[in-house]
Amino acid sequence: VSCNFPLLKKEEPTSIFELANQTMTAMFAGLPTPTRVTTAESTNAVATIVQTSPTVMPPISTVTDHQRSAQKVVAKYLSKKPVLDGDWGDWKKSTIAYAADYVVYGQKAWKDDADCEGSFIVGWDENFLYLGVKVKDDAYVQNAGAELLYRGDSIELLIDTDLNGDFYENKLSEDDYQIGISAGRGGIQGPKEAYLWYPISKKGSLSQQIDITSTSTAGIYRLEVQIPWSVFQITPQRGKQMGFEFSVSDNDDTDENVQQTLVSNLPTHAFLDPTTWGVIVLE
């Protein structure tokens, strides 16, 4: 895990963390209720859903799923594989878009939605989980990598693959995954990276397993990500539910690798407690 060693970041006098080295995922403490960021773009985040009926569909999950009180995200089945070019336009209409605009860390460093705000779509098929991401960021800065990837502009996924099996467990287990993804080190055109922090037993680079493409325009960068189900060691089924949270890390300091802000699709961000995460449903 990225916080198992001392960090060099100077402690902010009014940090919402008890310790200066409590970073991206609040690994050692829960957080107070964060400030909600509302934008006109966020209120229009839901895309038009196009109903498609592929000839062959994966089997339906026979497990009776529990429900979380946090946000439910729907991952639509994609009969046609997305073109991974950094532009989600070819499959956005077949999915639902969700906003990540809750500031859950670094409120004082966050200026406005142009500084850091995200939105995302999710799809799936028998082989992959697909993620499309749009991030509003007025200064793309990513000079970190590997387990320090969160100290630069990046995204994070939390996924509990066995939601039913440990629904009431408020601590991480071997089926809880934390993955960080960078659109490019040194710039959008730089090397893409993916890193797994949890489970600790599987900790390490995922850059060779996860396909990442990215593009950028003024004040915005986009990602398309293809994650093999083998990363999670599960076989997908229609109706399957998993724990889920999506977050965006932001750093505007070109002289220091530091996580300044974290925005999430959930208003609370208690990384060590999977019972606080939302849910993703494969439909």
Side-chain angles (χ1 to χ4, degrees), residues 2 144-150 185 193-197 205:
S2 57
E147 61 184 325
L148 299 181
L149 182 149
Y150 68 92
R185 190 191 297 196
E193 290 188 69
Y195 194 85
L196 178 71
W197 288 283
S205 175

Side-chain angles (χ1 to χ4, degrees), residues 90-248:
D90 60 315
W91 57 291
K92 181 180 179 181
K93 290 184 178 180
S94 300
T95 63
I96 302 174
Y98 299 91
D101 56 3
Y102 291 100
V103 181
V104 294
Y105 171 66
Q107 177 67 49
K108 294 193 68 173
W110 184 86
K111 297 187 289 290
D112 52 32
D113 62 328
D115 183 28
C116 184
E117 182 183 80
S119 58
F120 63 96
I121 58 177
V122 191
W124 70 285
D125 60 23
E126 294 85 347
N127 299 309
F128 301 102
L129 178 70
Y130 300 100
L131 180 70
V133 179
K134 174 185 176 182
V135 178
K136 296 173 67 176
D137 188 348
D138 53 9
Y140 182 83
V141 179
Q142 174 54 283
N143 296 313
E147 61 184 325
L148 299 181
L149 182 149
Y150 68 92
R151 292 193 187 183
D153 292 343
S154 55
I155 65 170
E156 178 196 58
L157 294 177
L158 299 177
I159 296 182
D160 177 1
T161 61
D162 188 19
L163 181 65
N164 290 283
D166 53 12
F167 184 79
Y168 299 104
E169 288 292 326
N170 59 1
K171 58 184 178 180
L172 297 176
S173 61
E174 284 295 299
D175 56 77
D176 298 323
Y177 289 75
Q178 179 200 20
I179 296 175
I181 296 171
S182 164
R185 190 191 297 196
I188 293 295
Q189 303 305 318
K192 284 67 170 115
E193 290 188 69
Y195 194 85
L196 178 71
W197 288 283
Y198 275 91
I200 293 179
S201 63
K202 303 172 185 176
K203 174 182 174 182
S205 175
L206 291 176
S207 298
Q208 298 303 312
Q209 300 178 55
I210 296 179
D211 289 332
I212 306 165
T213 58
S214 60
T215 60
S216 66
T217 55
I220 293 175
Y221 71 89
R222 302 174 186 270
L223 282 163
E224 282 188 299
V225 181
Q226 176 180 283
I227 307 175
W229 288 114
S230 58
V231 168
F232 305 110
Q233 299 183 342
I234 61 173
T235 300
Q237 292 181 306
R238 285 182 290 159
K240 180 176 178 59
Q241 296 191 12
M242 299 179 289
F244 181 82
E245 183 179 346
F246 171 89
S247 303
V248 179

Side-chain angles (χ1 to χ4, degrees), residues 10-155:
K10 295 181 180 179
E11 183 175 358
E12 298 179 357
T14 56
S15 172
I16 59 175
F17 292 100
E18 185 177 338
L19 298 175
N21 69 343
Q22 292 171 320
T23 57
M24 175 172 61
T25 50
M27 293 180 180
F28 303 104
L31 297 180
T33 301
T35 301
R36 170 72 181 192
V37 181
T38 304
T39 67
E41 181 175 271
S42 299
T43 60
N44 296 320
V46 178
T48 302
I49 305 174
V50 178
Q51 298 293 339
T52 59
S53 299
T55 304
V56 179
M57 290 285 284
I60 299 175
S61 173
T62 57
V63 177
T64 301
D65 292 293
H66 296 292
Q67 298 291 327
R68 293 272 189 226
S69 59
Q71 182 187 48
K72 181 175 80 171
V73 169
V74 174
K76 290 291 187 176
Y77 180 82
L78 302 177
S79 57
K80 182 179 180 181
K81 182 178 179 179
V83 177
L84 297 181
D85 56 4
D87 181 2
W88 64 12
D90 60 315
W91 57 291
K92 181 180 179 181
K93 290 184 178 180
S94 300
T95 63
I96 302 174
Y98 299 91
D101 56 3
Y102 291 100
V103 181
V104 294
Y105 171 66
Q107 177 67 49
K108 294 193 68 173
W110 184 86
K111 297 187 289 290
D112 52 32
D113 62 328
D115 183 28
C116 184
E117 182 183 80
S119 58
F120 63 96
I121 58 177
V122 191
W124 70 285
D125 60 23
E126 294 85 347
N127 299 309
F128 301 102
L129 178 70
Y130 300 100
L131 180 70
V133 179
K134 174 185 176 182
V135 178
K136 296 173 67 176
D137 188 348
D138 53 9
Y140 182 83
V141 179
Q142 174 54 283
N143 296 313
E147 61 184 325
L148 299 181
L149 182 149
Y150 68 92
R151 292 193 187 183
D153 292 343
S154 55
I155 65 170

